[in-house]
Amino acid sequence: MNEDKFRRAAGEVADFIVDYLKGVKDRPVLPSVEPGYLHKLLPANAPQQPEAWQDIMTDIQDKILPGMTHWQHPHFHAYFPTGSSYPSMLGEFLSAGLGCVSFTWLTGPAITELETVMIDWLGRMMGLPKELLPYTEGGKGGGVIQTSSSECVLVCMLAARNKTITALKETQPDVEDCILVSKLVAYFSEEAHSAVEKAARICLVKTRVLSTDEKFSLRAETLREAVEKDIASGLIPFFACATLGTVGSSAVDDIGGIGRVCAEKDLWLHVDGAYGGNALICPEYRYLLNGFQCVSSFNSNPAKWMRMGADGTIMWVRDKNLLIDALSIDRIYYLEDDEEQHRIDYRNWSIPLGRRFRSLKLWFVIRMHGVEGLQSAIRSHVALAKMFESWVRADDRFEVVGTVEFGLVCFRLKGENTLTEVLLQQINESGKAHMVPASLKEKYVIRFTPSNWHYSEEITKKTWDIITCFAEVVLRESRGDGQGLQGRESADSGEVLGREEGVLETS
Ligand SMILES: *Cc1c(COP(=O)(O)O)cnc(C)c1O
């Protein structure tokens, strides 16, 4: 491909993206392909000779798009929102164009320094305690962009483990690390993300999965009891993870109370704010920072709720030296002279060596939306979620479970779980909307969130219409059939809906 062809193709890709996003609403949200579908469509071997650009784009249309789950579809309400915006795409494109990798400061001074500035900007936008920010005079705070929230949790747990083992070694220098590790315990709630459990498994530490209160939040007393019990039996509590916006119901743990327990018992407290953390850029959510005095590290994922495309998660840490202690392989980092203090080698803050120029897209996103633009995007999701919540509450066939803290509403049909299970199955199979379930204290709920950014009251209303139409059929069938819905062929019910409920033809 020569320069002229590249210019033309790049323009075509831009056109393709715009047309795709404009037309995505007319596609089924979920694809109807079987696992292995693509292998059957593509040649068994790679081409020996260069192929034409047009042929590749034709395959995108004919073979790739039919196998896509359309996250930017207006009726995609699953998981959490996924950030996307033109500024983000441009940042991503430019990063690819510069074709650089950075791991030490010198491999990309601008890459390293823009990353640090973005971490500072975003931290200030959120009103984080200054101890977590990189440019605080005399401070040890700092931050780094990791690929994912899962990686943030893992590297923080590694840092905490290293800190505790190093301290234990001072009094027990002859005891093997693996013996000490076998005594370490990490704490998190039943509503914490599976990433925490995965991190604990990688770190080979024991875990305590703590129960939550009636609002699905972890209370400080629950943690305290578990920690004291473990200490009494000779174990060593070293790490706790609190969540600011759980995946199940976007609940917020008692971060302040948990922080006090962690400070008292010398545990590292990580706060996982992958989704909810983004809301901190709106001052009305700043009250959530009240408990941050004892937080050791925090992550928030702008690729979820801040219009930045995947991937990229920002992590702040109170004492960067503890992170570097755990992950650095050269140990000459406590540099005394001023210039070297400011020379960050991010390879020592994360697991990969080479890193992309990720901060570019965050910079573009913040500059081209402005803080106010990003705030209003979050506020619009919250307002629509509250509106949706009011419709659920007004319909006595349904109930809302948990608190609508951010932009997520968990709801269900009253009665046995099967009703809601069948309802969700029918909606997803119809391709008209896509949502995923959660189980909250044995209650099966459907999670609804406005997931993308061409979202409006009209679309929300249409989603509610889709839900209520399917609900009517599910409830009618459950009344008409003494055996209940379990085991019933869902495709049948789908057909019934297609035949009888003309309302759903247009989505
Ligand atoms: C999405 C999410 C994660 C996982 O994020 P990745 O970046 O995909 O690893 C972790 N915790 C919470 C609370 C989340 O919402």
Side-chain angles (χ1 to χ4, degrees), residues 307-352:
R307 307 226 54 187
M308 188 183 93
D311 48 19
T313 298
I314 316 294
M315 191 190 101
W316 293 264
V317 61
R318 185 173 293 268
D319 186 348
K320 60 188 174 200
N321 293 327
L322 294 175
L323 196 60
I324 298 168
D325 261 336
L327 299 176
S328 167
I329 30 126
D330 51 44
R331 303 234 165 221
I332 47 162
Y333 39 83
Y334 295 121
L335 298 164
E336 294 305 329
D337 78 89
D338 212 39
E339 186 201 331
E340 300 208 325
Q341 280 264 355
H342 290 102
R343 213 163 69 192
I344 290 176
D345 290 340
Y346 272 131
R347 66 173 172 163
N348 293 332
W349 297 54
S350 51
I351 291 167

Side-chain angles (χ1 to χ4, degrees), residues 80 147-150 193 195 243 245-247 272 274-275 301 304 313:
F80 278 132
T147 310
S148 66
S149 299
S150 306
H193 192 273
T243 310
T246 59
V247 176
D272 176 8
Y275 163 70
N301 191 342
K304 275 191 170 157
T313 298

Side-chain angles (χ1 to χ4, degrees), residues 97-400:
L98 294 173
C100 295
V101 174
S102 100
F103 36 95
T104 58
W105 180 84
L106 194 60
T107 55
I111 302 180
T112 301
E113 296 198 10
L114 186 63
E115 181 160 339
T116 314
V117 173
M118 285 308 100
I119 282 152
D120 198 59
W121 272 19
L122 190 55
R124 286 163 186 271
M125 283 162 65
M126 292 175 162
L128 294 184
K130 63 180 190 322
E131 293 77 19
L132 294 172
L133 303 182
Y135 296 116
T136 300
E137 202 67 46
K140 294 186 197 159
V144 56
I145 305 182
Q146 308 281 8
T147 310
S148 66
S149 299
S150 306
E151 245 177 86
C152 296
V153 175
L154 174 61
V155 299
C156 290
M157 199 183 284
L158 287 168
R161 187 181 73 167
N162 188 65
K163 170 181 178 257
T164 306
I165 296 292
T166 306
L168 291 169
K169 283 279 197 185
E170 281 180 17
T171 52
Q172 311 169 57
D174 301 327
V175 182
E176 291 275 358
D177 285 14
C178 61
I179 307 283
L180 297 171
V181 167
S182 74
K183 292 180 187 297
L184 301 188
V185 193
Y187 302 80
F188 49 94
S189 91
E190 59 195 352
E191 294 296 325
H193 192 273
S194 57
V196 192
E197 195 177 325
K198 192 187 267 189
R201 221 188 274 181
I202 296 170
C203 289
L204 292 173
V205 295
K206 293 185 168 46
T207 57
R208 299 286 177 254
V209 183
L210 307 172
S211 57
T212 54
D213 66 11
E214 72 291 346
K215 288 181 162 171
F216 313 106
S217 310
L218 176 60
R219 310 246 50 103
E221 273 321 296
T222 314
L223 174 68
R224 178 184 296 280
E225 271 173 36
V227 166
E228 286 177 350
K229 194 169 156 218
D230 284 332
I231 292 173
S233 61
L235 295 171
I236 304 166
F238 83 109
F239 177 94
C241 182
T243 310
L244 195 159
T246 59
V247 176
S249 68
S250 76
V252 178
D253 290 338
D254 173 16
I255 295 167
I258 290 171
R260 283 188 291 278
V261 174
C262 290
E264 192 186 311
K265 309 285 182 190
D266 199 20
L267 272 71
W268 180 296
L269 173 58
H270 180 77
V271 175
D272 176 8
Y275 163 70
N278 291 282
L280 296 173
I281 68 166
C282 302
E284 62 270 30
Y285 280 102
R286 292 280 161 75
Y287 70 92
L288 293 170
L289 289 170
N290 285 342
F292 265 54
Q293 293 82 354
C294 303
V295 168
S296 315
S297 52
F298 172 60
N299 72 270
S300 177
N301 191 342
K304 275 191 170 157
W305 214 17
M306 245 191 57
R307 307 226 54 187
M308 188 183 93
D311 48 19
T313 298
I314 316 294
M315 191 190 101
W316 293 264
V317 61
R318 185 173 293 268
D319 186 348
K320 60 188 174 200
N321 293 327
L322 294 175
L323 196 60
I324 298 168
D325 261 336
L327 299 176
S328 167
I329 30 126
D330 51 44
R331 303 234 165 221
I332 47 162
Y333 39 83
Y334 295 121
L335 298 164
E336 294 305 329
D337 78 89
D338 212 39
E339 186 201 331
E340 300 208 325
Q341 280 264 355
H342 290 102
R343 213 163 69 192
I344 290 176
D345 290 340
Y346 272 131
R347 66 173 172 163
N348 293 332
W349 297 54
S350 51
I351 291 167
L353 178 80
R355 322 172 69 255
R356 321 196 275 124
F357 199 167
R358 274 209 195 88
S359 55
L360 214 44
K361 65 181 170 185
L362 185 57
W363 196 36
F364 280 29
V365 164
I366 296 175
R367 291 182 71 180
M368 294 176 78
H369 290 98
V371 176
E372 288 178 13
L374 295 170
Q375 288 170 334
S376 78
I378 285 179
R379 285 178 182 137
S380 79
H381 273 194
V382 174
L384 292 166
K386 299 267 186 209
M387 191 182 295
F388 182 89
E389 178 194 12
S390 72
W391 298 332
V392 179
R393 290 196 188 278
D395 187 326
D396 58 13
R397 297 170 296 179
F398 289 91
E399 62 178 328
V400 171

